Amino acid sequence: GAVVSQHPSRVICKSGTSVKIECRSLDFQATTMFWYRQFPKQSLMLMATSNEGSKATYEQGVEKDKFLINHASLTLSTLTVTSAHPEDSSFYICSARETTQQFFGPGTRLTVL
Amino acid sequence: ELKVEQNPLFLSMQEGKNYTIYCNYSTTSDRLYWYRQDPGKSLESLFVLLSNGAVKQEGRLMASLDTKARLSTLHITAAVHDLSATYFCAVRETSGSRLTFGEGTQLTVNP
């Protein structure tokens, strides 16, 4: 199947700093990518839908100024967590759709101290 | 708003036994997915079901879809320890592009 990569896989940062997470589709072009957040023992919650060349669509309750999404090319979307706080600590997973399938990146575990 | 419910949420079973995980959803959908997640890892795609009556099998897992009942099942046959993981169903609404996930079923297969 198609491969989606994420970088970094793990990041620890101090409160108040910003963290950028990259998501790449390695062997296909993705006009649409999705960003999810997963807290321990919980399901995946969609944060936003990222469209190449246009603004992201955020889910209700997700602050667009805090979670900046950029989808500059057909193979790359980035999520920047600005002014991170401990409550932003979570597992962030991106996903890209290819025809009927949706493939997930390996995830980024963010810990904010 | 689309709601997706899985049951059971926790399942502990012995090796060699059979069991079924259920996934109900609340509105029309044009595709349903099953994923597996191991602890600390991301999601692995298992099945995508596109039409009413679709049945797919891979090894000891078989998934089916009944769009009229808005129900999908994931059947486990002769479970083995390696199947221990959390299983999610996810549904895409006919009119949209986003996936809505069920709560997940944490499966533990005991020797």
Side-chain angles (χ1 to χ4, degrees):
Chain A
V3 177
V4 176
S5 72
Q6 267 182 257
H7 178 80
S9 59
R10 188 179 294 267
V11 58
I12 300 172
C13 68
K14 291 182 178 179
S15 188
T17 60
S18 294
V19 175
K20 180 187 280 190
I21 303 170
E22 292 186 348
C23 176
R24 294 180 186 273
S25 56
L26 295 186
D27 47 4
F28 66 102
Q29 293 183 330
T31 54
T32 304
M33 291 185 175
F34 304 88
W35 286 95
Y36 295 86
R37 181 167 52 184
Q38 185 181 33
F39 292 108
K41 304 288 187 186
Q42 293 188 23
S43 188
L44 278 73
M45 297 301 296
L46 180 65
M47 299 175 66
T49 301
S50 167
N51 300 297
E52 187 265 336
S54 64
K55 291 183 179 180
T57 303
Y58 289 81
E59 295 299 304
Q60 196 171 8
V62 178
E63 299 175 57
K64 61 180 181 181
D65 294 330
K66 181 170 181 62
F67 298 99
L68 301 178
I69 291 172
N70 184 275
H71 194 153
S73 77
L74 288 172
T75 59
L76 173 64
S77 176
T78 60
L79 167 68
T80 302
V81 183
T82 62
S83 187
H85 289 283
E87 58 264 31
D88 298 323
S89 298
S90 187
F91 193 44
Y92 291 85
I93 306 175
C94 73
S95 173
R97 190 170 66 219
E98 183 198 40
T99 58
T100 62
Q101 294 259 44
Q102 192 157 323
F103 296 95
F104 288 80
T108 297
R109 187 161 304 282
L110 170 64
T111 303
V112 184
L113 303 176
Chain B
E1 180 189 340
L2 172 61
K3 292 192 190 314
V4 181
E5 294 183 346
Q6 282 181 242
N7 76 84
L9 300 183
F10 298 93
L11 176 56
S12 180
M13 56 191 297
Q14 285 197 307
E15 280 191 328
K17 299 293 186 183
N18 305 330
Y19 209 84
T20 300
I21 300 170
Y22 297 88
C23 174
N24 288 92
Y25 54 98
S26 62
T27 190
T28 56
S29 165
D30 64 353
R31 57 196 59 176
L32 187 141
Y33 301 82
W34 283 97
Y35 294 95
R36 168 182 171 144
Q37 186 178 37
D38 291 295
K41 302 288 180 64
S42 188
L43 274 68
E44 173 190 350
S45 178
L46 295 175
F47 302 107
V48 54
L49 303 169
L50 301 176
S51 60
N52 187 42
V55 177
K56 290 194 175 180
Q57 182 163 4
E58 182 73 34
R60 300 174 188 274
L61 301 178
M62 183 173 71
S64 66
L65 178 61
D66 180 344
T67 57
K68 293 180 181 177
R70 296 178 183 168
L71 169 68
S72 179
T73 61
L74 180 66
H75 187 74
I76 302 154
T77 302
V80 293
H81 180 68
D82 286 351
L83 289 179
S84 297
T86 299
Y87 292 84
F88 291 96
C89 66
V91 177
R92 193 181 89 161
E93 291 181 66
T94 305
S95 58
S97 63
R98 57 200 291 273
L99 289 186
T100 300
F101 281 81
E103 307 99 317
T105 297
Q106 186 175 320
L107 171 66
T108 303
V109 181
N110 302 304

